[in-house]
Amino acid sequence: MIYRIEISPIELHGDPKADGLKSKVKDFLNLPVERVKTRNIYTVEAEFSLDEIEKLASEISNPVIQSSRINESGSDLAHLISVGFLPGVTDNVARTLVAAITDILGRDLTDEEAVYSSIEYLIDGDLNNDELMKVALLVANPLINNIAIYTASEISTIPHNTPKIEDETHIDVKLYDLEVSDDELMAISRDGTLALSLEEMQTIQAYYRNDARNAEREKLKLPPQPTDAELEVLAQTWSEHCKHKIFAADIDYVDGDHRETIHGCFKTYIYNSTYEVDKRVDWLLSVFKDDAGVIKFNDKYDICYKVETHNSPSALDPYGGAMTGIVGVNRDSLACGRGSDLLINVWGYCFASPFTKNEGVPDTLLHPKVIRDGVHEGVIEGGNQSGIPYGVGWEYYDQRYIGKPLVFCGTVGLLPRDLNGENGYDKNINPGDFVVMAGGRIGKDGIHGATFSSEELHTGSPVQAVQIGDPITQKKLADFMHEARDAGLYKFATDNGAGGLSSSIGEMAEESNGVYMDVSKAPLKYAGLQPWEIIVSEAQERMSFAVPPQHIDAFMALAEKRHVDAANLGEFNDSGNFHVVYGDETVCCLELEFMHGGCPTMQLKAKWEAPEFDEAPPIESEKIGQSILDLLARLNICSCEDKARQYDHEVKGLSVIK
């Protein structure tokens, strides 16, 4: 049975979401919209009785401010815009409803049953379909959303919102022939969103020409050509996002008559200067080797801190991309050492002016106000829903950010100094430790996140590259991790951010010098993912653990008790290889030395040219008053309080200065 549950605000109490859309239509489109209503739609495809669905609807709605009805879709307004999720995109609202169904109706959904969420915007006004689509794009993003428009006569017969992934149970490991021309090599990189340069593709080409290596591959029933999984793993590992190739490049630097070669900006100026500081102080405990940096705080605790950007995802999907940014740094600090307690979040954004005229925005870009509103909303919901307060934030404006915003997010964590007799910031892996994945399941969202973030934005930027963060799942995972940490059930944890299992297990395997895992055992959001997709699909609310054999039963039992998905995928070894199978079939076997050290060093040139500035014109005394008002009105001087006050700094009640 398929049921449609419709929950609408009672008009007497207002509809903030509808008011927000009406205001945006007026500000951006100047279209004749007279009235706007909204309603949340939950499509339940399950074997429940009508009485059970009515009970569910009454429990998930608030009778004081909301009304609900079942299997009805009529309206007295002229148009309806339906916004749901595309197949394969995480639907967090639906996932929350699945948990509610268990609590309210007393049973779990079967694998054949499903729940989907969508929002319907009901609009009155003399609008054609093109204008309605412009309205829809103010509240939806075609990269992740399914948008449908209906007229008054069609509203009563709206089809059910069931964006299913078709079950592609046939596993097809694709092979790549690299014995082709340079142009064809680059076509393979470009068409596959691999973001690899010609030199990098040629380096991979040479790797597969080794006869001794191919003899070993034959024993594993691997051909001399790379599999799709191997090429994807190398692309992720060698991506700018993960490898920081520009920071590590050899730079031929010229400053007037002076010329030198800088072997990596990061190593020369950041890494080396930090270690010079480290020689003189005793409070730098862990730098450049974990998911976050660690400094000494007091005799009982240490502090870890991580800040990073999520620029490209936020340009494509401001809400989802920015949410991924904040939950991403949450899990970086969460996975630091043996696992920290998350204390506080920080944020900072660089945007073009939200008052930019529509004609000043290129066709392929979102309006800066849409980006600003979406980024704030995503970071607020991602952090506060995980139960973490915000401490400080800022905004900066410059029209050059119209092409891509900068979205900084940071998280501070607290690490116990002593954990079962060991330093809380230390972690290690031994051959024989089990490879365990826990937290969010694997889906198509987040595929190519690392490689997509390493290239310029373009009209073909992939739909599935933007993860949809799931702060509720992350909160459950964090609580489970702290309990497992205090019990000493794991020795190493790291996140499944950029690159998914490829990144996390690939990096962890360096600790023991090898790994063997079976990705057919990984929990999936739905059937049909190919092995390479399972390996590289990333999620912020998923962690990889190294669990000693003597603790594996207790670890898995605790995960089940805390309702956290966990799977034992294999074990770490000292083979020197990153070896991945799907059932009985080897889909990837790469030497760790090549995987992590084989990427050619980028060669760059730089020349210093001192900037020249025109002299500022003199200030005319009679205009000083107006000049002061103009200055105070500038976006980089005026108050940002309208947005900053939306962040909850009181969660946990930890802050002293507000």
Side-chain angles (χ1 to χ4, degrees):
M1 291 288 293
I2 299 181
Y3 296 96
R4 169 192 165 97
I5 301 175
E6 176 187 306
I7 297 178
S8 306
I10 295 174
E11 288 193 43
L12 176 65
H13 300 290
D15 186 344
K17 192 174 294 183
D19 294 340
L21 177 56
K22 188 174 180 181
S23 177
K24 286 183 178 180
V25 172
K26 178 182 177 182
D27 291 344
F28 293 124
L29 304 177
N30 196 27
L31 292 174
V33 170
E34 298 167 12
R35 284 197 300 162
V36 178
K37 295 181 181 179
T38 67
R39 56 196 189 194
N40 294 320
I41 308 301
Y42 306 104
T43 305
V44 180
E45 188 173 12
E47 292 304 316
F48 289 115
S49 67
L50 181 58
D51 287 343
E52 288 176 308
I53 294 298
E54 288 176 343
K55 179 182 178 182
L56 176 64
S58 67
E59 290 286 342
I60 64 174
S61 60
N62 184 333
V64 176
I65 60 173
Q66 294 174 316
S67 62
S68 65
R69 57 181 185 173
I70 310 297
N71 292 342
E72 297 182 46
S73 58
S75 170
D76 59 340
L77 276 67
H79 311 283
L80 184 146
I81 299 171
S82 174
V83 178
F85 287 104
L86 291 169
V89 175
T90 300
D91 184 343
N92 284 324
V93 174
R95 295 180 67 177
T96 303
L97 184 57
V98 169
I101 287 173
T102 302
D103 294 338
I104 296 167
L105 301 183
R107 79 164 174 88
D108 295 331
L109 295 184
T110 67
D111 291 340
E112 290 73 34
E113 297 174 325
V115 176
Y116 310 93
S117 77
S118 58
I119 300 175
E120 292 178 352
Y121 298 87
L122 302 138
I123 298 172
D124 249 352
D126 185 15
L127 304 173
N128 59 38
N129 264 22
D130 290 341
E131 291 170 331
L132 286 167
M133 181 55 70
K134 290 179 181 179
V135 173
L137 294 178
L138 294 176
V139 291
N141 188 333
L143 286 173
I144 63 168
N145 292 124
N146 179 31
I147 303 169
I149 297 172
Y150 302 96
T151 62
S153 61
E154 299 170 317
I155 290 177
S156 61
T157 57
I158 296 172
H160 288 297
N161 170 53
T162 55
K164 296 180 181 179
I165 287 283
E166 295 301 322
D167 186 356
E168 303 170 3
T169 54
H170 177 64
I171 299 303
D172 181 23
V173 178
K174 182 180 177 181
L175 301 178
Y176 283 91
D177 180 10
L178 298 187
E179 296 302 326
V180 294
S181 68
D182 289 350
D183 287 344
E184 291 172 293
L185 284 177
M186 289 309 298
I188 292 172
S189 175
R190 182 179 59 254
D191 296 345
T193 319
L194 302 179
L196 292 167
S197 69
L198 177 58
E199 184 181 11
E200 290 161 350
M201 289 296 294
Q202 290 170 335
T203 301
I204 296 171
Q205 182 187 60
Y207 176 80
Y208 285 92
R209 287 174 173 169
N210 185 293
D211 291 339
R213 182 176 297 113
N214 287 332
E216 293 299 315
R217 289 174 64 81
E218 189 175 357
K219 295 177 184 178
L220 298 173
K221 298 182 180 179
L222 280 173
Q225 300 88 11
T227 65
D228 49 11
E230 290 173 329
L231 205 53
E232 293 283 354
V233 166
L234 288 172
Q236 173 272 310
T237 308
W238 292 8
S239 67
E240 175 62 35
H241 184 90
C242 294
K243 189 62 73 176
H244 306 298
K245 294 178 288 191
I246 295 174
F247 258 10
D250 288 339
I251 303 173
D252 180 13
Y253 177 67
V254 177
D255 180 0
D257 295 332
H258 174 72
R259 187 172 197 141
E260 66 174 308
T261 299
I262 300 169
H263 296 289
C265 279
F266 177 79
K267 184 176 181 181
T268 303
Y269 300 113
I270 302 175
Y271 184 97
N272 285 344
S273 61
T274 302
Y275 276 98
E276 285 300 315
V277 173
D278 190 31
K279 292 175 185 177
R280 294 165 172 81
V281 301
D282 65 351
W283 44 265
L284 282 178
L285 301 180
S286 176
V287 289
F288 307 133
K289 61 182 181 182
D290 203 343
D291 287 345
V294 183
I295 62 172
K296 186 182 294 183
F297 183 57
N298 60 25
D299 293 337
K300 292 183 64 177
Y301 297 101
D302 300 316
I303 290 287
C304 66
Y305 188 29
K306 174 65 178 287
V307 178
E308 70 178 22
T309 61
H310 267 240
N311 308 330
S312 294
S314 299
L316 289 183
D317 172 23
Y319 175 81
M323 177 183 282
T324 301
I326 191 61
V327 297
V329 289
N330 287 171
R331 48 83 174 153
D332 278 330
S333 290
L334 179 64
C336 182
R338 298 293 174 93
S340 76
D341 300 295
L342 305 183
L343 294 182
I344 202 164
N345 289 328
V346 301
W347 53 271
Y349 316 132
C350 298
F351 299 127
S353 169
F355 303 110
T356 302
K357 300 293 185 184
N358 288 332
E359 55 270 21
V361 181
D363 291 340
T364 56
L365 301 178
L366 296 175
H367 193 281
K369 188 176 189 301
V370 174
I371 292 177
R372 182 187 188 228
D373 290 348
V375 165
H376 277 283
E377 185 180 359
V379 173
I380 288 168
E381 294 198 8
N384 286 154
Q385 285 184 16
S386 295
I388 307 166
Y390 282 91
V392 68
W394 52 265
E395 292 182 272
Y396 180 78
Y397 297 93
D398 190 294
Q399 283 308 102
R400 288 173 292 182
Y401 293 115
I402 199 167
K404 184 190 287 189
L406 301 187
V407 177
F408 295 89
C409 298
T411 302
V412 179
L414 192 69
L415 274 167
R417 175 66 56 80
D418 180 86
L419 272 175
N420 304 305
E422 297 182 295
N423 284 326
Y425 60 84
D426 280 339
K427 49 194 192 185
N428 58 79
I429 299 174
N430 293 323
D433 289 344
F434 288 114
V435 176
V436 181
M437 185 194 95
R441 293 184 167 222
I442 295 175
K444 281 187 178 290
D445 54 316
I447 291 177
H448 286 146
T451 53
F452 144 76
S453 296
S454 302
E455 61 181 11
E456 292 183 359
L457 285 175
H458 53 82
T459 54
S461 292
V463 171
Q464 71 272 29
V466 181
Q467 302 170 52
I468 308 301
D470 187 351
I472 304 302
T473 295
Q474 178 161 286
K475 173 61 174 164
K476 290 167 60 179
L477 174 64
D479 291 345
F480 157 75
M481 274 188 67
H482 293 143
E483 198 169 348
R485 175 199 70 186
D486 293 343
L489 299 183
Y490 65 86
K491 294 170 22 183
F492 198 112
T494 195
D495 65 90
N496 275 221
L501 291 170
S502 168
S503 174
S504 63
I505 304 302
E507 292 172 8
M508 292 171 73
E510 289 188 286
E511 295 287 322
S512 65
N513 194 36
V515 70
Y516 176 93
M517 66 173 173
D518 182 355
V519 294
S520 71
K521 298 178 180 179
L524 307 179
K525 294 176 183 175
Y526 35 75
L529 292 183
Q530 294 297 327
W532 75 265
E533 294 176 306
I534 299 172
I535 295 169
V536 303
S537 174
E538 58 194 64
Q540 309 293 25
E541 61 281 351
R542 191 165 70 235
M543 292 281 184
S544 294
F545 298 87
V547 180
Q550 66 270 26
H551 296 317
I552 188 66
D553 290 341
F555 185 95
M556 301 301 284
L558 180 61
E560 183 176 6
K561 181 180 179 181
R562 298 302 178 215
H563 302 286
V564 172
D565 283 326
N568 186 347
L569 304 182
E571 67 179 49
F572 294 98
N573 55 42
D574 58 1
S575 66
N577 293 325
F578 180 75
H579 188 178
V580 185
V581 300
Y582 186 93
D584 296 329
E585 182 181 2
T586 293
V587 296
C588 173
C589 189
L590 292 166
E591 295 169 14
L592 285 171
E593 184 178 358
F594 180 71
M595 181 174 163
H596 291 291
C599 183
T601 302
M602 189 178 288
Q603 305 296 315
L604 300 176
K605 294 182 182 294
K607 182 179 180 181
W608 170 251
E609 294 181 356
E612 296 181 3
F613 300 99
D614 295 331
E615 288 293 327
I619 298 176
E620 299 177 30
S621 59
E622 66 273 14
K623 295 183 178 179
I624 287 179
Q626 185 59 47
S627 295
I628 291 175
L629 293 176
D630 292 343
L631 276 172
L632 292 175
R634 287 186 178 181
L635 288 172
N636 290 325
I637 295 178
C638 70
S639 172
C640 296
E641 193 169 351
D642 66 315
K643 292 292 187 184
R645 286 296 182 187
Q646 297 175 25
Y647 292 76
D648 190 340
H649 55 267
E650 294 291 1
V651 178
K652 294 186 177 181
L654 296 176
S655 58
V656 177
I657 298 174
K658 306 304 180 184

